[in-house]
Amino acid sequence: MMKNISLLLFSMIIFVIMYSCSQKETADLIVSNATIYTVDEAFSTVESFAVIDGKIVEAGNSEDILKKYSTENLVDGAGKFIYPGFNDAHCHFNGYGVNLMQYADLRGTESPEEIYEILKQHYQKFGGDWILGRSWDQNDWDVKEFPDKNDLDKLFPDVPVYLVRVDGHAGWCNSKALEVAGINAKSKVNGGEVILKNGMPSGVLIDNAMGLVGEFIPEITTEQQEKGLLAAQKNCFAAGLTSVTDAGLGNKTVLLMDEMQKRGTLKMRINAMLSPSKENINYFVKSGIYKTDRLVVNTIKLFADGALGSRGALMLEDYSDDLGNNGLQIADQEYYNEICQLAIDNNYMVATHCIGDSANRLMLNTYGKFLKGKNDRRWRIEHSQIINSDDFEKFAKFSIVPSIQATHCTSDMPWAEDRVGEDRINGAYSYQTLLKQLGWIPNGTDFPVESIEPLFTFYASVFRTDHKGWPEGGWRMNEGLNREQTLRSMTAWAAKSSFEENEKGSLEPGMWGDFVILDTDLMTASPKEVLNTKILSTWIAGEKVFKL
Ligand SMILES: [Zn+2]
């Protein structure tokens, strides 16, 4: 009898083992043996997860996952560090791609002479009807004043030259470009300025005045634009980005992105904010929110003012280093009201570029009139850069999302106080105070204004120094975000800012398998280690899109 029972038990055990083996579920991908920051509510870590049909089905320790799932695609994490794919909550992905195709890169140039050299080479290489460049910054030069047209005229008397400042809020041209655009000393533009020198246009155009020349620049062909988008995507994957918010697009570009995604060439997930053109409004806004697995169109992007570097940011009081000037308002109140009403009617979000304290107040108050009180519409203020101390609480009161770019803080910190003085600087780049308003905050770069690198965002947000470690101990550190807050701002909170927090931004069951494998633990790394971190691979929906 005993013998029979043991035999029975033994065979039952064998049966259970065999049954469970054969019942192992097949996963498309298993990642094991890593430190995985899931960025879930509890900020927990796991060792392993399994992906089926692009989505994470289970996360936990390696042993359990491997017991339950089998796969032909097992990635040994080898003790490395995994994070949700980085999400840039405000950038210009298409613009960056177009730049790669059309514009000479002037970022980091230290003098006008260096720029002239680059332009000569660019023209020799690419030719074209125009010479275009982008990302000069007079703050990086010995003489920190706006340049003028004179040297450009000597070098290029017959070809129009148009060079966009690093922040996209000033353009520098030669006489040929001014002539083509019909600009003279009497040219006037609302929300913009033609800068004069000795009574003549100097060659520098501010904000809306840039459009006078901009409209004559030949449009990029669709073929070139596609190439540009793919080139942008390649660089972004190598930097660890799997999602971007493109802050201001036309419907043709959005449709091109959608088509490329459906064809499978463009894999980047995109939140496409619409510029408020009539075409965009009629095509997209009035037919409601558009959403696929990789594209969401649910936001109208507006501008309230210009940039701080070119003194186009709208301030309540004059600039401390330019008395008599308090910046520029891009459009009138009536216009902002009209767009906000349109957004309410079509369940769209509004996201407005606001740099100066007056621009921020203008839009906080305007939004407030439409939102009335707490809500879940997630209307956004892009940059939220200089806030008057009376206005911070309006973010909380009307549930308005402050969208920040930590590298703007570290790029601007050497001269920002010159512009606004020692009092107003207390409300500038105040990320911790902004975070407190809603308890969450999205972070981005505004590339190509800044570099595309999300690791630079992490560095700037946590350490608040330049890459050489200046200023020692960090700039206004009480307003920095800690590591966990920063990681959330670049992943889960960025997803939340486009209403996609149930799909991406954390590595939990049900979420897309969008992740990066790094060689560094960002939660403990020294500043130097953060900057030297290597992106080992980048994955979207369980598909490897970049490998070092
Ligand atoms: Zn922007």
Side-chain angles (χ1 to χ4, degrees), residues 128-275:
D129 296 337
W130 281 70
I131 299 174
L132 303 171
R134 171 135 198 165
S135 295
W136 56 275
D137 183 353
Q138 82 279 11
N139 289 308
D140 294 339
W141 305 345
D142 285 341
V143 180
K144 297 182 195 328
E145 280 170 19
F146 272 144
D148 61 39
K149 62 188 178 183
N150 295 338
D151 289 333
L152 290 176
D153 285 349
K154 279 178 214 147
L155 288 166
F156 307 105
D158 305 316
V159 194
V161 178
Y162 181 64
L163 312 172
V164 181
R165 195 178 179 275
V166 65
D167 55 15
H169 289 272
W172 169 23
C173 3
N174 65 352
S175 293
K176 189 71 194 174
L178 295 173
E179 182 194 315
V180 169
I183 295 172
N184 59 41
K186 287 183 192 135
S187 301
K188 288 266 176 295
V189 188
N190 278 339
E193 192 186 351
V194 175
I195 294 201
L196 301 180
K197 206 171 184 178
N198 307 322
M200 294 294 290
S202 72
V204 172
L205 309 171
I206 305 291
D207 287 307
N208 283 354
M210 297 167 70
L212 298 174
V213 169
E215 66 177 292
F216 290 93
I217 291 170
E219 249 187 73
I220 192 166
T221 63
T222 309
E223 196 187 339
Q224 261 185 318
Q225 192 182 8
E226 269 193 44
K227 274 190 202 160
L229 285 167
L230 294 178
Q233 163 171 274
K234 192 171 174 216
N235 292 355
C236 288
F237 287 162
L241 288 165
T242 56
S243 287
V244 292
T245 287
D246 200 321
L249 291 171
N251 66 335
K252 283 203 195 90
T253 298
V254 180
L255 291 172
L256 176 66
M257 288 170 160
D258 192 27
E259 190 196 313
M260 289 172 72
Q261 286 176 332
K262 284 175 175 156
R263 250 188 274 146
T265 53
L266 191 64
K267 295 172 193 290
M268 182 65 80
R269 294 190 203 279
I270 299 170
N271 168 25
M273 291 183 173
L274 299 168
S275 302

Side-chain angles (χ1 to χ4, degrees), residues 90-92 167 169 247 301 303 353 382-383 408 446-447 449:
H90 178 127
C91 65
H92 301 275
D167 55 15
H169 289 272
K301 165 77 193 304
F303 282 90
H353 165 113
E382 301 304 310
H383 314 305
H408 280 349
D446 208 5
F447 75 69
V449 175

Side-chain angles (χ1 to χ4, degrees), residues 84-105:
F86 298 127
N87 180 341
D88 193 316
H90 178 127
C91 65
H92 301 275
F93 181 69
N94 174 67
Y96 172 65
V98 169
N99 285 354
L100 289 174
M101 295 296 112
Q102 266 193 325
Y103 286 72
D105 183 9

Side-chain angles (χ1 to χ4, degrees), residues 360 364 381 383-387 391-393 395-396 400-405 427-442 479 481:
N360 277 284
L364 286 164
I381 299 272
H383 314 305
S384 307
Q385 212 163 82
I386 303 159
I387 313 285
D391 292 331
F392 280 104
E393 63 179 31
F395 286 93
I400 294 167
V401 181
S403 160
I404 59 163
Q405 299 74 32
Y429 315 91
S430 292
Y431 303 150
Q432 196 58 241
T433 306
L434 287 170
L435 167 61
K436 283 201 185 88
Q437 305 309 315
L438 300 185
W440 61 280
I441 194 166
E479 291 293 354
L481 302 181

